[in-house]
């Protein structure tokens, strides 16, 4: 038997075991690659940063704080400096919704990230029935979001349909 010893004293697999493991994984399907939409160079040159007016500096600071402190956004925004965060905060525009209003609908194309300033939003997820057909209702309530919550980022990140329906429960 041929064996080698690592620094901690554990023995590595011998040649026969190594070959058996190799054979087991040999021919296995490789992980799929990741692809994204191509970006037109002219679109980049012509891009103008959106800027929407805010009521005051407190509104802009609140947006920045929610984005900075939300764990889901750390991967995307954790490295961005203050100037970059100002650009992102400027791209948010106010949207006033009434109780009962639908902000996003499951299956629709995503075009916005929402931050709740006041009130509550109920999140519903509709799952296919036992027959495999898509649901026709809004589904089951899975979450209620309040002030300083954010939602809607997944559809933007993955260019995927909305995964849930968001309805304003209190304004």
């Amino acid at each position: 038997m041929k064996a080698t010893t690592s620094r901690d004293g554990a023995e590595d697999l011998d040649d026969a075991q190594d070959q058996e493991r190799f054979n087991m994984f040999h021919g296995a399907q490789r992980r799929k690659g990741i692809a994204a939409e191509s970006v037109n160079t002219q679109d980049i040159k012509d891009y103008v940063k959106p800027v929407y007016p805010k009521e005051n500096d407190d509104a802009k600071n609140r947006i920045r704080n929610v984005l900075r402190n939300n764990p889901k956004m750390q991967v995307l925004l954790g490295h961005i400096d203050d100037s970059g965060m100002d650009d992102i905060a400027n791209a948010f525009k106010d949207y006033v919704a009434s109780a009962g209003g639908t902000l996003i609908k499951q299956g629709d194309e995503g075009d916005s990230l929402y931050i709740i300033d006041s009130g509550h939003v109920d999140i519903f997820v509709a799952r296919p029935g036992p027959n495999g057909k898509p649901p026709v209702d809004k589904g089951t309530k899975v979450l209620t979001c309040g002030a300083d919550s954010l939602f809607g980022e997944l559809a933007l990140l993955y260019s995927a349909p909305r995964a849930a329906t968001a309805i304003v429960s209190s304004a």
Side-chain angles (χ1 to χ4, degrees), residues 70-97:
N70 187 287
K72 295 187 291 186
M73 300 307 290
Q74 287 303 304
V75 172
L76 290 175
L77 306 176
H79 67 286
I80 294 181
D81 63 12
D82 287 341
S83 173
M85 285 303 287
D86 282 343
D87 290 341
I88 293 169
N90 286 333
F92 277 81
K93 69 178 175 181
D94 285 338
Y95 179 79
V96 178

Side-chain angles (χ1 to χ4, degrees), residues 35-37 67 72-73 76-77 88 91-92 103-105 107-115 150-164:
E37 293 180 34
L67 294 172
K72 295 187 291 186
M73 300 307 290
L76 290 175
L77 306 176
I88 293 169
F92 277 81
L103 296 174
I104 62 175
K105 185 177 177 196
D108 286 353
E109 182 178 337
D111 62 355
S112 299
L113 166 70
Y114 292 86
I115 296 177
L150 65 83
F151 60 93
E153 76 285 353
L154 293 178
L156 298 175
L157 288 172
Y158 301 110
S159 297
R162 295 287 190 185

Side-chain angles (χ1 to χ4, degrees), residues 15-151:
D15 289 340
Q17 289 172 321
D18 284 343
Q19 187 62 47
E20 184 179 329
R21 240 174 97 202
F22 174 78
N23 291 340
M24 184 174 69
F25 291 110
H26 185 71
Q29 190 174 20
R30 292 181 58 153
R31 188 170 78 160
K32 303 284 186 218
I34 297 173
E37 293 180 34
S38 61
V39 178
N40 182 328
T41 312
Q42 192 61 43
D43 289 345
I44 293 172
K45 289 179 185 174
D46 295 341
Y47 181 75
V48 177
K49 296 177 194 175
V51 177
Y52 296 98
K54 307 293 180 268
E55 289 180 28
N56 52 42
D57 285 340
D58 288 342
K60 190 173 180 179
N61 288 332
R62 185 186 54 78
I63 293 168
R64 291 174 60 167
N65 288 335
V66 169
L67 294 172
R68 282 248 188 248
N69 295 322
N70 187 287
K72 295 187 291 186
M73 300 307 290
Q74 287 303 304
V75 172
L76 290 175
L77 306 176
H79 67 286
I80 294 181
D81 63 12
D82 287 341
S83 173
M85 285 303 287
D86 282 343
D87 290 341
I88 293 169
N90 286 333
F92 277 81
K93 69 178 175 181
D94 285 338
Y95 179 79
V96 178
S98 301
T102 300
L103 296 174
I104 62 175
K105 185 177 177 196
Q106 185 172 338
D108 286 353
E109 182 178 337
D111 62 355
S112 299
L113 166 70
Y114 292 86
I115 296 177
I116 300 172
D117 184 35
S118 63
H120 292 90
V121 174
D122 291 333
I123 309 297
F124 298 86
V125 175
R127 293 183 173 80
N131 59 3
K133 290 186 180 179
V136 292
D137 65 348
K138 64 184 174 190
T140 305
K141 180 177 163 182
V142 295
L143 179 68
T144 297
C145 299
D148 295 338
S149 296
L150 65 83
F151 60 93

